[in-house]
Amino acid sequence: MKICVIALGKIGLPLAVQFADKGHEVVGQDINADTVAEVNAAHEPFPGEAHLQDKLAELVRAGALRATTDYGEAVPGADAVVIVVPLFVDDDGAPDFDWMDHATRQLAKHLTKGTLVSYETTLPVGTTRNRWKPMIEEGSGLTEGEDFHLVFSPERVLTGRVFADLRKYPKLIGALNAAGAHVAREFYEAVLDFDERPELARPNGVWDLGTAEASELAKLAETTYRDVNIGLANQFAQFAATQGIDIYRVIEASNSQPYSHIHRPGIAVGGHCIPVYPRLYLHTDPDASVVRAARTANAAMPAYTVGLLAGAHGDLSGQTVAVLGAAYRGGVKETAYSGVFDTVRELEAQGAKVFVHDPMYTDAELAELGFTAYHFGESVDAAVIQADHGEYASLDPARLPGITTLVDGRHLTRARDWPGVTHRAVGVAATASTAW
């Protein structure tokens, strides 16, 4: 098959590589000329994705994968077009479709008969049928269900392990008619492999959910569940801290039976998914009070964590504070909706002089994010662990000379390893027993 992948980001490029690795001719389209040049030079544009560089180099050299900025070069004659253009939300939680609208109008302009169009970007329920179908039909002059087929098939992977996740999780599809579902199933079965999952109710593979709306909701539901779960864990953590209880012991005990799956509390919920998709869900179900309460609770965690610091350390005005971790999670060079931004803002609002450390970012990159870099060995009054980078678990006071207070927002460190330092952690009271 000839396949076009629109948007060669941290999900789109691995998808393009996966499709090409299965023996298909793949053209990736991206509006960023630098990204296109990097791909055509067989260089991964971003680090950290397992196996991506090796696969990319092999496939580009073999002529199986190339990139372009030109929709007119990528879309015509494609058997399938897969769209992974980012969807953002504004400050009020409403979806901002600008980038996706542009991509959709451009692909419609160049769409030819016989193409399957698959949206993998997470969407509010009803978007595929009510927004993309008429937009593509108007722009192409073609009729969905006759001249082309339209499907929603959400990506379900995490950056850093995309290729493994593509094999591990069922591929969900939801079309607008039975013929489109048949074409979508054949396509994804031709480009993906699946691990055996005997614990699943049915064999791992392509799962047809019957409608685009069901597939849209499935993606929103699985991610919103995580946000609600974390919100509950954060509320448990705050209560436990007032009762002299270590919430992590409680969670481990609760999860020792099969009906409890409490997630970990922490300073922030970041990334492109968990902070965003509940808001997309709320866009079409504004009365979902449980979802709204959890999102509000999680958004308040950076301020709560800074409050822990102020309570333990005292007045923060004029104090030098290092925030450890700009990334939204450990091992991933990505700051989308990272808790670092609200943490820094809250510290600065209390008069602190704030510096940021992250092993994955250079000083110049941190400056571009609006931060002043901190380096281990520099004097500091206090520190807050914001990201769960592995190296932070082995921190000791010697690397933070002058420190008197540490607040661990990710439960990586233990108080006994910080003699002479006031140690606090989200979900662990100062008086809680940590012996297990």
Side-chain angles (χ1 to χ4, degrees):
M1 291 184 290
K2 178 185 176 183
I3 302 169
C4 168
V5 176
I6 296 177
L8 299 176
K10 293 188 177 182
I11 304 299
L13 181 57
L15 279 179
V17 166
Q18 169 67 29
F19 300 160
D21 201 32
K22 288 290 289 182
H24 305 287
E25 176 191 350
V26 180
V27 180
Q29 188 282 333
D30 198 281
I31 61 172
N32 188 321
D34 292 337
T35 296
V36 167
E38 287 285 297
V39 172
N40 286 331
H43 298 148
E44 59 178 352
F46 40 82
E49 186 58 55
H51 312 297
L52 179 60
Q53 178 56 51
D54 290 343
K55 289 176 178 286
L56 179 65
E58 176 185 347
L59 293 165
V60 170
R61 282 197 300 265
L65 173 62
R66 59 188 174 86
T68 180
T69 58
D70 186 359
Y71 285 88
E73 181 182 347
V75 175
D79 295 290
V81 176
V82 175
I83 305 163
V84 209
V85 174
L87 174 63
F88 302 100
V89 294
D90 63 21
D91 292 340
D92 297 322
D96 180 353
F97 286 106
D98 285 352
W99 285 20
M100 293 197 76
D101 283 349
H102 173 78
T104 299
R105 291 191 175 101
Q106 288 298 312
L107 84 88
K109 180 180 177 181
H110 299 285
L111 190 65
T112 50
K113 287 187 178 183
T115 300
L116 169 71
V117 179
S118 178
Y119 283 84
E120 295 214 7
T121 304
T122 303
L123 301 170
V125 173
T127 304
T128 304
R129 188 183 305 272
N130 300 322
R131 191 181 192 93
W132 305 141
K133 177 179 180 290
M135 191 177 292
I136 295 172
E137 288 184 331
E138 179 182 1
S140 67
L142 303 176
T143 301
E144 199 283 327
E146 297 178 10
D147 301 316
F148 72 97
H149 292 291
L150 182 58
V151 64
F152 178 72
S153 181
E155 56 85 7
R156 308 179 74 200
V157 298
L158 280 180
T159 55
R161 64 184 205 198
V162 170
F163 296 111
D165 285 352
L166 286 172
R167 299 180 62 96
K168 184 175 182 180
Y169 303 126
K171 186 59 174 163
L172 309 182
I173 60 171
L176 303 186
N177 51 66
H182 175 76
V183 173
R185 176 184 292 277
E186 286 192 331
F187 168 69
Y188 280 111
E189 287 178 344
V191 297
L192 299 176
D193 297 303
F194 297 96
D195 295 333
E196 287 193 20
R197 297 277 306 278
E199 78 279 12
L200 296 178
R202 50 182 165 138
N204 194 10
V206 180
W207 288 13
D208 180 8
L209 297 192
T211 65
E213 289 79 7
S215 188
E216 289 164 340
L217 180 55
K219 173 61 179 182
L220 292 174
E222 67 184 32
T223 310
T224 299
Y225 160 80
R226 294 171 64 194
D227 197 45
V228 171
N229 194 318
I230 295 168
L232 181 62
N234 280 329
Q235 295 212 327
F236 285 157
Q238 293 179 47
F239 174 73
T242 69
Q243 303 298 308
I245 297 169
D246 181 344
I247 194 59
Y248 296 93
R249 293 178 60 183
V250 172
I251 291 173
E252 182 180 3
S254 298
N255 290 353
S256 66
Q257 57 88 4
Y259 304 106
S260 178
H261 308 281
I262 303 171
H263 291 358
R264 290 172 61 86
I267 185 174
V269 178
H272 290 284
C273 302
I274 303 180
V276 177
Y277 299 161
R279 299 167 80 183
L280 296 181
Y281 176 80
L282 287 165
H283 181 67
T284 49
D285 186 8
D287 296 327
S289 57
V290 173
V291 176
R292 191 176 301 281
R295 183 84 299 272
T296 300
N298 289 337
M301 286 304 293
Y304 169 81
T305 307
V306 172
L308 290 180
L309 177 63
H313 187 83
D315 186 6
L316 296 176
S317 181
Q319 297 292 286
T320 300
V321 181
V323 176
L324 305 181
Y328 79 87
R329 68 177 171 95
V332 174
K333 191 176 182 180
E334 176 61 72
T335 59
Y337 295 92
S338 172
V340 70
F341 299 105
D342 284 343
T343 302
V344 168
R345 276 193 291 268
E346 187 68 24
L347 287 166
E348 290 178 340
Q350 297 200 31
K353 296 180 291 186
V354 186
F355 299 82
V356 176
H357 175 274
D358 194 296
M360 305 192 76
Y361 288 83
T362 66
D363 290 5
E365 288 171 330
L366 289 173
E368 289 178 1
L369 293 168
F371 306 134
T372 301
Y374 173 77
H375 310 96
F376 289 130
E378 296 175 346
S379 180
V380 67
D381 297 307
V384 177
I385 297 179
Q386 192 285 135
D388 52 344
H389 290 309
E391 75 174 66
Y392 293 160
S394 59
L395 275 179
D396 60 66
R399 302 185 73 187
L400 297 149
I403 187 170
T404 60
T405 311
L406 173 70
V407 173
D408 186 344
R410 299 294 181 180
H411 198 238
L412 298 178
T413 58
R414 298 172 297 184
R416 64 175 178 263
D417 296 327
W418 291 78
V421 175
T422 302
H423 182 281
R424 297 287 185 270
V426 171
V428 181
T431 57
S433 169
T434 56
W436 184 247

